Every structure is written in structure tokens, then in C-alpha cells.
Amino acid sequence: MAENVVVVGSGPAGLTAALYTARANLEPLIVEGAAPMGQLMLTTDVENYPGFPDGILGPELMEKFRGQAERFGAKFITADATRVDLSRRPFVVEVGEATYEASALIIATGATARMLGIKGEREYLGRGVSTCATCDGFFFRGVPLVVVGGGDSAMEEASFLTRFASKVTVVHRRAALRASKIMQDRAFANEKIDFIWDTDVREVKGSDGKVTTLELSNARTGEVSTIDVGGLFVAIGHDPNTALFTGQLELNDAGYINVQHPRTATSVDGVFACGDVVDHIYRQAVTAAGMGCSAAIDAERWLEAQGH
Ligand code: NAP
């Protein structure tokens, strides 16, 4: 028997879709992934999720999302989907050796922030290393910060962080920015932003669980230097997790899934998408959760229209 709804992904979007489809009595099956519950599992305090005026830890918030969906009958598989076939009805979702069929499919596989892959970066993630200024900037009052990257995201994050930091230094691997002219001009005009050109960050160092120093290396001369910081923001782009769907669904140039905004319908009838795998602009837990709700309602109505 095919499942009514399979949700692939378990961040705020996937788990909200799970909650809403579960409460609609659709008994959704959630393929939650081998590393479930999304990017908030990599953060510490979340102070901008409405309803938690004192803040909440990212992993604790996600456990609450999951528990709430489970309470209404969502079923979970803790493994990655390995293949999907959207050309057949019901749709096919493979998880290793196991095969599931789905009358409707909700994709909420999210995006992954690109990381530098340097020593200390993972160790200090959520403890001084961040990939989201909107989420974490507030925690860096009065300290010097480094932003890595030369695109619009890096300029936006650097400008935003000047509200909190004593100073922001943008470290870019080349001598020219990739960011749009307007974003560049804004950053150049900001007295609290400095630039270090032609330079890679080589290592994140700290003590007592806090980032204190970055080791830098000049990309032309190889000269090594250090800079004292209170935090490092890595802003070198995101990759949507769409490898499973390439060639089966319409994606935009950057690889994000195209939906019929404000609806969540994709280019394949009966397949819906929500959260960061669609949204490269807002990328917030609360916007992802909102879109997860929309996808659940869209799927529910679609199933009903099919006479399901
Ligand atoms: P992006 O445009 O791809 O820029 C990534 C930046 O990171 C580039 O400067 C790149 O350097 C650098 N980089 C990549 N890998 C690196 C590595 N391993 N080590 C060091 N540096 C590395 O990504 P984005 O800034 O996230 O922007 C993505 C898209 O969203 C763009 O289309 C952008 O216009 C859009 N966006 C728009 C706004 C806005 O308009 N408000 C805000 C954010 C994003 P190189 O330059 O040397 O390649």
C-alpha cells in the first residue's frame, strides 16, 4: 500500500509539514535523514523563533518540533533517501534497500551552508563560528569579527554584523569582490568594515570553547599572519540539497526547486517543496516552518481533489 504522504527532510519545514499532515489524519511517513532535524541542530541559542521569549537551544527546539509531529501520528525513518522516481504514480522513494510508495510527496531537504573545510571550523561551529549572521550576530556584541567571502551574502552579513561587532573584517581570497555594485558600495562606505584581500583563512583557534584567533595565509605570497577575533562568519554560499531530484523536477539556475509561489506545487503534479530547498532569500526557521505548513495544506487539498 502506498503511503498517503511521504515527507523527505526533517528541518523546520519538513517537521511542520509532518505535523500538519499528521493532524489531517494522513499518517505521514517522514524520511528524516541520517543526520535529522536540519541546520538548527548545529546552532546553540535561538532567540528569534516566536513563542520562546527567553530563547531556546536549536537542538531542543527541533526535538519539540519532532515530538509534536510524532504525537499526532507521524512515522519516522532515520536514514537518507537514496533515490526517488517521480515519473511514476505512486511516487517511489528508496531508502537504502527499502522502497516506499507515496501518493503525494513533500520535499524539505533544505540547503547546506558551504564551509571552508579548515582546521577548527567544525569544532567551533555554534561556538564562535557561524554561517548565519541573522541568527547569531546578536551574540557578538562589542567584539571584532571576520566575515569570509566576497559575494552578496558576505557583504550583507558584514553590514548587518556592524550593528553588534566592534569592527568587521572581510577576508576574501581574491582582490575583487563578486558582490553586486550596490552591496559593494555599501560595504566600502561603512566605516566599521575593513577588507583583507587575496587571503585565505587557514585555521580557527580558540581557548575555553571560544574562538580567539584566525590564522591567515596570503594567497599570492603564502605569508602567514594571525588576526584576533571574537567570531568567524563563513559566507561563501549555500548548496540546496537537490541532488536526488536533478533531472526529475524543475530547478532554478542555482539548483533550488522552482515552486508556483505562493503555492508549494513543483513542476511535477503531486510533488510539493518547502523550506530552504526552495528559498535562497530568507532561510529562517520560522519562514521554513511557514512554508512547511503551506506544503502540507497543498498536499492535503491535492489528495482530496484526486479523490484520495
Ligand atoms: P556567491 O555569489 O556564490 O559568492 C560566494 C563567495 O564566496 C565568492 O566571493 C567566492 O569567492 C567565495 N568563496 C566560495 N568558496 C570559497 C572558499 N572555499 N574559500 C573562500 N572563499 C570562497 O554566494 P552568495 O554570496 O551566498 O550569493 C548567492 C546568490 O544569492 C547570489 O546570486 C547573490 O546575488 C544572491 N544574494 C543576494 C542578496 C541580496 O541581493 N540582498 C543577498 C545574499 C545573496 P570568488 O569570488 O573568488 O569566487
Side-chain angles (χ1 to χ4, degrees):
M1 262 282 280
E3 305 287 337
N4 300 313
V5 181
V6 170
V7 179
V8 184
S10 61
L15 290 176
T16 303
L19 169 65
Y20 271 75
T21 49
R23 289 194 77 253
N25 266 343
L26 290 169
E27 301 176 325
L29 177 71
I30 321 307
V31 180
E32 67 175 347
M37 296 183 277
Q39 296 183 70
L40 281 191
M41 298 302 280
L42 305 175
T43 63
T44 50
D45 298 284
V46 178
E47 292 187 333
N48 57 6
Y49 200 86
F52 295 91
D54 301 321
I56 183 167
L57 293 172
E60 197 183 334
L61 178 62
M62 294 320 296
E63 289 288 353
K64 285 182 186 291
F65 267 68
R66 192 181 185 282
Q68 195 174 356
E70 202 165 27
R71 180 179 150 214
F72 293 103
K75 304 166 285 181
F76 290 87
I77 295 173
T78 310
D80 291 331
T82 44
R83 200 180 78 86
V84 299
D85 185 349
L86 308 182
S87 67
R88 289 181 31 193
R89 291 270 193 84
F91 306 116
V92 174
V93 178
E94 288 179 8
V95 182
E97 299 290 295
T99 299
Y100 302 91
E101 291 184 329
S103 298
L105 185 69
I106 297 178
I107 300 171
T109 45
T112 306
R114 289 186 204 137
M115 302 287 290
L116 296 164
I118 57 173
K119 203 169 158 202
E121 186 184 36
R122 289 266 162 203
E123 183 186 344
Y124 287 104
L125 192 61
R127 296 179 176 78
V129 175
S130 170
T131 55
C132 177
T134 319
C135 319
D136 300 329
F138 188 81
F139 303 116
F140 294 88
R141 285 181 180 277
V143 296
L145 296 175
V146 159
V147 173
V148 181
D152 281 337
S153 293
M155 294 312 105
E156 195 169 65
E157 303 235 322
S159 298
F160 180 75
L161 289 169
T162 58
R163 297 181 195 186
F164 314 102
S166 55
K167 175 184 162 183
V168 175
T169 304
V170 173
V171 176
H172 184 38
R173 63 182 177 184
R174 293 186 296 129
L177 295 173
R178 175 180 299 280
S180 54
K181 174 116 183 13
I182 184 165
M183 303 286 277
Q184 293 196 24
D185 290 348
R186 213 173 282 161
F188 288 141
N190 191 324
E191 285 176 0
K192 282 177 88 177
I193 301 180
D194 277 351
F195 289 83
I196 298 180
W197 304 106
D198 287 320
T199 297
D200 294 308
V201 178
R202 264 204 347 194
E203 187 176 341
V204 182
K205 295 178 176 173
S207 66
D208 296 332
K210 280 187 176 170
V211 172
T212 56
T213 314
L214 303 178
E215 192 174 292
L216 308 179
S217 158
N218 186 293
R220 289 175 188 269
T221 63
E223 190 188 333
V224 174
S225 59
T226 59
I227 181 169
D228 291 337
V229 292
L232 167 67
F233 284 78
V234 180
I236 59 173
H238 285 75
D239 293 314
N241 300 322
T242 43
L244 274 180
F245 314 105
T246 310
Q248 304 196 61
L249 273 183
E250 198 182 295
L251 307 178
N252 72 13
D253 289 344
Y256 291 82
I257 297 176
N258 279 342
V259 294
Q260 296 160 20
H261 279 302
R263 298 190 188 282
T264 61
T266 68
S267 58
V268 175
D269 203 27
V271 178
F272 305 86
C274 51
D276 285 12
V277 76
V278 172
D279 165 29
H280 67 281
I281 299 175
Y282 303 106
R283 295 191 194 119
Q284 300 301 297
V286 66
T287 52
M291 216 189 302
C293 166
S294 303
I297 293 173
D298 288 343
E300 186 190 331
R301 290 186 181 159
W302 181 83
L303 284 167
E304 200 169 288
Q306 302 288 306
H308 189 83

